[in-house]
Amino acid sequence: MLSKCGTFSLFQIPNPQNPALGVLLRFTASISSLKVVWRKDLKLDQAIENDKKWRLCARVVREVLNEPGQVIPLRYLEKRRERLRLPIRIQTFLAGNPGLFDTYMDRIKPKSDLVTFLRPSDRLKQFLEEEKMIYEENEPLIVAKLCKLLMMAKDRVVSADKLVEVKREFGFPNDFLVTLVSKYPEYFKLYGAPGEGKSFLELVTWNEEFAKSVIEKRAEEESRLTGIKVRPGFNWKLPPGFFIRKEMREWIRDWMELPYISPYEDVTHLDQASAEMEKRMVGVFHELLSLSIYKRVPVPILGKFCEEYRFSNAFTSVFTRHSGIFYMSLKGGIQTAMLREAYKGEELVDCDPLLEIKDKFVELLEEGRQQRAEQVRIRGEMVQKDMELMAARNKESNYHERIQLYENEHC
């Protein structure tokens, strides 16, 4: 695979005075020519599948909460099933998730017939208050994340509309452009009105405390614990059963030896096709996934930031070329970039504090399902008792009929 690039063997020369130069020259081979066959990772795919049910419920909840007055006619919601990717009827969904909404009768228009409406249940309202408290408690973390996204970007500016699109990936509250931007003018300045496609968020002040990547912090911590200076570097490990060709393993070995380039460094001087730029791009993806709540982001969402973060048009190949760092899942027909080191099997082990919101929402769903299971159990017991009572009455009735028949025959 590498031998097709003539410059590879030509520049593979030793340099005792500068060993890194030999490594660097080997990267004059076309990076885009290096390919790794994609292989499915069942455990990481399962991590996405495990979130499928609660994410579906969350989409329905958001749909109702976004309505005026947070109420909606049931039949209106039924018509939106396809957009919500809801495979069952709304009535069936409500029966399976009884803790989310209350139903009541009202008119859509003053003189129209009464129809069924939905509104948030008291338990859902309680969850929304808990969610608000979690956001407030983690506001410093959210501000740091937002600063970091701007600090990695070209000119420290990112489209505000794009940031709104990724708010759930990074754990930003719905109104972060209103609340946080105005509350922290020392960090943020908003240009234009979000929603019109020409709105931008700019970083006002560079905070050196935020300019350390997860990898750099990890190296510093290891150095502190061991007393030995540890060089920042990526964790690279394939799961059992994965295999890459020898020439690719050699390329990765050499690539790993290149100096780590922080995603917060100014790289305007780097060639877009250089090995250093590849190292920096991997660092940016690693940092973006590390900042995300679930340590995974759909690839189409990452693609929206090609201009801001200087991604090449063929950036998706990075996730397969560096398959010991990332995994690109195709679960659900959507390409999703995942950070391998954040997972142990199908379990997320690198947990963001904002995950508490998801945990509480799952608890709400579980409470509703337990409530429904209890109701089903009670109804079943009542039916069983009714059947037993009916059987006893039938038995008694048959007994009296036989007695009456006997007496009539012997009169």
Side-chain angles (χ1 to χ4, degrees):
M1 189 155 44
L2 288 175
S3 59
K4 292 181 180 179
C5 302
T7 54
F8 180 81
S9 58
L10 182 64
F11 288 102
Q12 195 168 353
I13 56 176
N15 188 333
Q17 295 181 340
N18 188 1
L21 180 61
V23 174
L24 184 58
L25 291 174
R26 286 199 289 272
F27 280 90
T28 54
S30 172
I31 292 174
S32 62
S33 70
L34 298 167
K35 300 183 185 299
V36 177
V37 177
W38 177 85
R39 289 194 62 180
K40 178 180 291 209
D41 189 320
L42 293 176
K43 291 183 178 179
L44 290 182
D45 281 345
Q46 188 59 43
I48 294 178
E49 182 68 22
N50 292 343
D51 289 345
K52 187 176 178 180
K53 289 183 179 179
W54 75 261
R55 284 182 178 273
L56 176 61
C57 294
R59 284 200 299 272
V60 177
V61 168
R62 285 196 299 270
E63 190 72 18
V64 176
L65 294 179
N66 287 335
E67 288 294 307
Q70 298 186 337
V71 298
I72 185 174
L74 186 145
R75 71 186 189 193
Y76 284 11
L77 197 58
E78 181 68 35
K79 292 178 181 178
R80 302 177 190 178
R81 277 175 49 206
E82 184 175 352
R83 178 162 62 82
L84 292 169
R85 303 192 299 278
L86 186 63
I88 56 177
R89 295 182 65 84
I90 291 296
Q91 289 281 21
T92 306
F93 172 83
L94 295 175
N97 300 279
L100 295 177
F101 304 107
D102 292 334
T103 59
Y104 67 100
M105 304 301 291
D106 202 350
R107 292 178 172 83
I108 298 175
K109 296 180 180 179
K111 294 184 180 181
S112 63
D113 295 334
L114 290 171
V115 297
T116 304
F117 274 72
L118 298 181
R119 62 189 173 200
S121 67
D122 290 340
R123 182 64 188 89
L124 179 55
K125 290 178 182 177
Q126 181 183 340
F127 160 76
L128 294 173
E129 288 300 316
E130 293 171 346
E131 179 187 50
K132 185 178 178 181
M133 290 177 60
I134 294 171
Y135 278 133
E136 290 174 354
E137 291 170 0
N138 289 280
E139 188 170 283
L141 171 64
I142 296 170
V143 170
K145 283 188 180 189
L146 190 53
C147 283
K148 283 171 171 284
L149 291 181
L150 296 174
M151 291 166 72
M152 285 187 283
K154 182 176 65 176
D155 301 323
R156 319 303 180 215
V157 174
V158 176
S159 163
D161 293 311
K162 292 180 182 180
L163 289 172
V164 170
E165 290 184 46
V166 300
K167 62 186 178 184
R168 283 191 288 274
E169 308 299 332
F170 294 97
F172 301 154
N174 290 331
D175 59 353
F176 76 98
L177 284 179
V178 176
T179 56
L180 295 185
V181 171
S182 59
K183 188 175 179 179
Y184 295 92
E186 68 273 26
Y187 285 135
F188 311 117
K189 186 172 183 179
L190 182 64
Y191 295 90
E196 298 178 0
K198 296 181 180 179
S199 178
F200 300 91
L201 189 65
E202 180 185 33
L203 182 75
V204 175
T205 305
W206 181 277
N207 187 331
E208 202 62 40
E209 183 182 343
F210 299 154
K212 288 184 180 179
S213 68
V214 169
I215 287 179
E216 289 171 312
K217 288 181 179 179
R218 183 169 63 204
E220 287 182 359
E221 180 63 13
E222 290 178 6
S223 298
R224 186 186 66 82
L225 293 174
T226 62
I228 302 172
K229 185 173 178 58
V230 177
R231 192 179 72 165
F234 299 102
N235 287 337
W236 206 98
K237 183 179 180 182
L238 284 173
F242 276 61
F243 174 78
I244 56 175
R245 296 173 62 180
K246 179 182 177 182
E247 58 265 36
M248 191 64 202
R249 290 200 303 271
E250 293 173 351
W251 184 90
I252 291 169
R253 179 198 62 206
D254 291 343
W255 182 86
M256 292 286 283
E257 287 301 314
L258 289 174
Y260 172 77
I261 299 178
S262 170
Y264 302 104
E265 284 186 30
D266 180 11
V267 291
T268 52
H269 62 285
L270 293 181
D271 179 4
Q272 188 72 20
S274 66
E276 298 107 319
M277 199 61 179
E278 167 101 349
K279 192 91 175 189
R280 190 260 179 185
M281 183 163 61
V282 171
V284 172
F285 283 131
H286 186 284
E287 188 74 354
L288 287 172
L289 295 179
S290 296
L291 292 174
S292 69
I293 293 184
Y294 304 100
K295 315 308 174 192
R296 64 178 189 253
V297 178
V299 172
I301 289 180
L302 292 172
K304 294 179 184 291
F305 295 90
C306 283
E307 182 180 354
E308 286 87 347
Y309 296 126
R310 303 180 181 87
F311 299 152
S312 67
N313 293 331
F315 77 92
T316 56
S317 62
V318 166
F319 302 121
T320 50
R321 188 158 58 245
H322 299 279
S323 52
I325 301 172
F326 308 113
Y327 170 63
M328 187 165 70
S329 172
L330 304 180
K331 194 71 178 175
I334 300 174
Q335 292 181 332
T336 303
M338 307 181 71
L339 192 59
R340 283 195 183 277
E341 67 187 39
Y343 288 84
K344 184 176 182 181
E346 63 188 61
E347 296 296 324
L348 179 63
V349 292
D350 184 2
C351 295
D352 191 292
L354 290 163
L355 270 176
E356 186 180 356
I357 293 174
K358 173 244 183 178
D359 294 339
K360 286 189 175 293
F361 185 69
V362 171
E363 286 177 12
L364 167 61
L365 297 177
E366 188 58 31
E367 287 174 10
R369 288 164 185 163
Q370 288 179 359
Q371 175 188 337
R372 179 174 179 269
E374 182 65 14
Q375 291 171 347
V376 170
R377 184 188 66 80
I378 293 173
R379 281 200 300 269
E381 290 179 354
M382 292 176 63
V383 169
Q384 182 65 28
K385 288 180 180 178
D386 289 343
M387 291 177 66
E388 291 174 355
L389 183 59
M390 188 179 296
R393 287 176 178 173
N394 289 338
K395 184 177 181 181
E396 184 178 353
S397 176
N398 292 337
Y399 174 76
H400 287 301
E401 286 179 1
R402 288 196 299 271
I403 293 295
Q404 186 65 38
L405 181 61
Y406 177 82
E407 291 176 348
N408 291 340
E409 288 177 351
H410 290 80
C411 286

